[in-house]
Amino acid sequence: MKYDFTLTPKQQTLAEQNLSLVDKVISCYIHTNESVCGLGYEDLRQEGCLALCRAAATYDGVSAQFSTYATTLIRNHLTDCCKAVSARLRNLPAVPLDVGPPEEDRPPGFPEPSVEDGMDALIDRLDADALLSDCKRRYSGVARLGIEALELKIKGYSGTDIARLYNTKPSHVGAWISRAAQKIRKEAAVEKSVSES
């Protein structure tokens, strides 16, 4: 589906008034799977909302009621998304995270700091590892891939190395990390507001 369209205020209102169609289509026609990137409820809802906007942009007001037209368009788009994810999964090699790239493909080591302060670095590393392990346990979909990519980044892998491990584009790895960081920041803000009140 192409996303190069702009909604008029009338079309935007039409889409906003029918947001419940997305949830209805997902619950009636689509089986979500939180353990698979792209098949989680949030991922599918986002795709469904894009399809709803496309329906609002292309609705002619004559052929059918908007809800009927939009439901069909959303269902077809989500079915296509699920098929695309399934096709990608069939071609995705299983790569254990504890196995690194061959020695010749590993990035060069980082230079040692001139002043060694091992204790602070160790505490920072333990805090980061604990945070990422906790997040990886709770997150699914793209956010979980972002956490796994962050773990690999901490171990010294570049975005290109991680993309090669997951057989994807480096820009996708950046998007995964961005989604994970966004969720972590959001949770931190909620925890901060709770502790302040």
Side-chain angles (χ1 to χ4, degrees):
M1 172 182 281
K2 291 185 179 179
Y3 302 111
D4 57 346
F5 57 88
T6 304
L7 297 178
T8 64
K10 183 179 177 183
Q11 292 168 336
Q12 185 176 356
T13 303
L14 185 62
E16 289 171 355
Q17 290 172 346
N18 290 280
L19 273 173
S20 62
L21 288 175
V22 175
D23 296 317
K24 180 181 173 188
V25 168
I26 292 173
S27 66
C28 292
Y29 302 106
I30 306 295
H31 297 288
T32 62
N33 185 346
E34 296 298 330
S35 65
V36 178
C37 176
L39 294 182
Y41 184 82
E42 289 181 19
D43 295 329
L44 291 170
R45 188 168 196 284
Q46 184 177 16
E47 287 292 334
C49 288
L50 289 171
L52 176 65
C53 290
R54 170 57 92 189
T58 58
Y59 181 61
D60 62 6
V62 178
S63 56
Q65 290 182 347
F66 179 74
S67 60
T68 305
Y69 174 73
T71 298
T72 303
L73 202 137
I74 294 167
R75 185 182 67 220
N76 291 344
H77 177 68
L78 290 179
T79 302
D80 290 344
C81 288
C82 291
K83 287 178 183 177
V85 168
S86 295
R88 280 196 304 266
L89 288 176
R90 280 193 299 273
N91 299 323
L92 185 66
V95 179
L97 289 178
D98 58 346
V99 176
E103 191 64 40
E104 64 272 3
D105 290 344
R106 289 191 183 170
F110 295 103
E112 292 296 321
S114 56
V115 177
E116 232 177 318
D117 187 8
M119 188 55 79
D120 288 343
L122 178 62
I123 290 170
D124 289 345
R125 175 71 188 252
L126 290 174
D127 288 346
D129 286 346
L131 172 68
L132 292 177
S133 293
D134 182 57
C135 291
K136 189 162 88 170
R137 181 181 50 79
R138 292 182 292 117
Y139 294 170
S140 63
V142 175
R144 182 183 170 98
L145 286 173
I147 296 297
E148 292 174 359
L150 282 171
E151 288 177 328
L152 291 171
K153 280 260 192 200
I154 289 172
K155 291 179 181 177
Y157 291 85
S158 69
T160 305
D161 295 331
I162 297 168
R164 203 176 5 226
L165 285 171
Y166 282 90
N167 196 23
T168 189
K169 297 178 184 176
S171 60
H172 292 176
V173 173
W176 299 345
I177 291 173
S178 176
R179 173 75 66 94
Q182 181 182 19
K183 282 190 88 161
I184 290 171
R185 280 193 298 271
K186 185 177 179 181
E187 287 182 0
V190 168
E191 286 178 16
K192 183 179 178 184
S193 67
V194 167
S195 66
E196 290 176 353
S197 57

